[in-house]
Amino acid sequence: MERDFPVEKIRNIGIMAHIDAGKTTTTERILYYSGKIYRIGEVDDGTATMDWMVQEQERGITITSAATTCHWKDCRINIIDTPGHVDFTAEVERSLRVLDGAIGIFCGVAGVQPQSETVWRQADKYRVPRIAFINKMDRTGADFLKAVDTMRTRLAARPLIVQLPCFEDEQFTGVVDLLTGKFLTFSEGDEGSSVTEEAVPEHMKGEVRKYREQLIEKVAEEVETLMESYLSGKEPSLDQLKSGIREATIAMKLVPVLAGASLRNKGVQPLIDAVIDFLPSPADIAVVEGIDPKTETKELRKLDDSEEFSAYVFKVVTDPFFGKLLFSRIYSGSVKVGAMVYDTQTRKKERITKIMQIHANTRMELPEAHSGEIVGLVGPKLAKTGHTLCTEAHKIAYGSINFPEPVISIAIEARNQAEQQKLEEALQKISDEDPTFKKCVDPESGQTLISGMGELHLEIIVDRLLREHKIKGNVGKPQVSYKEAVMEQMSGQGRVEKEMGSKRLFAGVTVEIFPTGRGGGFEFHSRIRNSNLPDDFINAIEEGCRDALMVGNLAGFTVIDTGVNLTGVEYSETDSNEISFKMAASQAVNTALQSARVSLFEPVMLLEIVTPENYLGEVINDLNSRRGRVEKLEKKDCFGIISASAPLSELFGYATGLRSRTQGRATHTMQFGYYN
Ligand code: GDP
């Protein structure tokens, strides 16, 4: 298959920002200037295109990772929306996994806010090269150099200033590009659509010379080819300088920094240029690592069309027109409409019926898609977020992201029979989209329980039920999800021999359950040798094991961090089927659970609290009274930053308490840490 678009011209990027730094405003401008939208929506009047879920617009935070495609010059830019709220860390990590580069947006007045550190550190972990945009330069008190300095002190980043903001009579007028030595201004009245290059204003000449020299020196230090000419006193050409910066950025040695004010339509076009000039294309990332699902050994794929097809599903959304839409990054090979693909996690083959290029909420159908692209796939019914799609002949799994088990649940009740069915359907949709959300029916009370990763997570889900599905259920009080885990290896056997009507069911399964350690999650390994048991039966056995671990033997809580080895099977050609294997597997695990030593665990949350120093004592006292433990205390610019852990059962209503204790001045993030 020929590709219509060269891979070198693709950029898959994310935009990372602390809430309110201007991510939405900037993204809107990028889409507008690149001709993707015809009107600039404003966050403040709730019309921004990217935040397409109503409650996001109201809350002003971006929760879903929608992806959108636009074109700039001769390049294609896929923007993957990276959520900024730490309660959704799993989503942030999944979107970082499929990005090749990112823009970090910071506020020109506040600089790097302490809580931006979390996302920045995650991007370091996934080795995502970045450029930075210091936004809101029009605001009184904006200080570009100070903001750049906070990148050094708070993020331990190595910023490279490539632009300087320019002011006339204290008004922000435009930016000077230190590479070209041109002063860029942005038209008024037509949303800043045209950019004019002018000579550098007289009052800035000295500063521009100084920072350009610094820039050349810094790049030369990192890039060998430039070092030689630098030492011989030769001024590098524009192209040499650009490619030097690109090399150092991709190697994560430097972070180019630009300035602007998105809301005033200033500085955005040069930012898009910088995405193209400095951030990597998929071709700059030679190979990607996964595992061979059979041997569980490392498996590499070249990011190339000549390789076998493989893709990673980083987000599933239920679309009103197409049903299940799988936001996917194609790593290798290509895929055509009509192709059968193999899902490594479900071990099933399913057909791709549509391939979509995605703008926030309009879609364009494509006949095929190639390595390096980010597209929406339609067709596979069983695929979920975190699954890998590939060919049956060349299987690969891109890290089975172990989704954390939900830590908090609430009961939700439909108000009448008619609503009950709507509720069930809506909850199914949400759980397809969000792997950290679960629903179940409490066997004792018969109530529907929904579980998630924190109070805010569940609040948003209840909100979605009301807004998207018009269901106003009765909601109970949040309950902590305790867990059980096995402490020793134990084997168990299950056997099913049953007559069902005229049919006989037969299957026998022997398993070994074992602890996988804190955070180890569920594992399943088939250790049976020389058996030609079909994959479908192995899947049924795995499913039976998972089901059995949903309800522990100690107090009926989910059993976590426990693995299962399948060590033996008995089967008959005529009477064994998926159902009998599933039942036998559940029995086997239950038998093993009954004899094994099992302990009870409670979820412990990790908190990061940023508070003005004068409230520090009070905040810490309160944490102590909640069985909390302060792990680290730092002081920065009159603020105290507390890293702490505390049991979730003591943290209900923490947000409200903190607010009233500090007159609304402290902020915090909370995420699940571990079970203890
Ligand atoms: P997000 O939470 O990072 O997506 O930030 P938004 O794009 O929603 O912006 C947060 C607030 O900052 C909104 O009220 C914007 O109007 C405002 N804002 C964004 N960019 C600028 C800017 O360049 N200058 C000023 N003065 N305000 C801005």
Side-chain angles (χ1 to χ4, degrees), residues 17-26 42-44 60 62 135-139 260-264:
H18 189 277
I19 292 164
D20 263 6
K23 183 169 85 172
T24 314
T25 310
T26 310
E42 289 303 347
V43 182
D44 305 308
T62 307
N135 188 31
K136 305 199 185 182
M137 288 313 302
D138 62 310
R139 280 184 52 191
S262 301
L263 187 65
R264 309 291 166 218

Side-chain angles (χ1 to χ4, degrees), residues 21 26 47 128 206 235-236 273 329 340 391 470 488 540 544 552 605:
T26 310
T47 56
V128 177
E235 181 84 351
D273 287 340
R329 155 90 193 227
M340 293 297 283
T391 59
K470 311 279 176 286
E488 61 185 349
M605 305 299 275

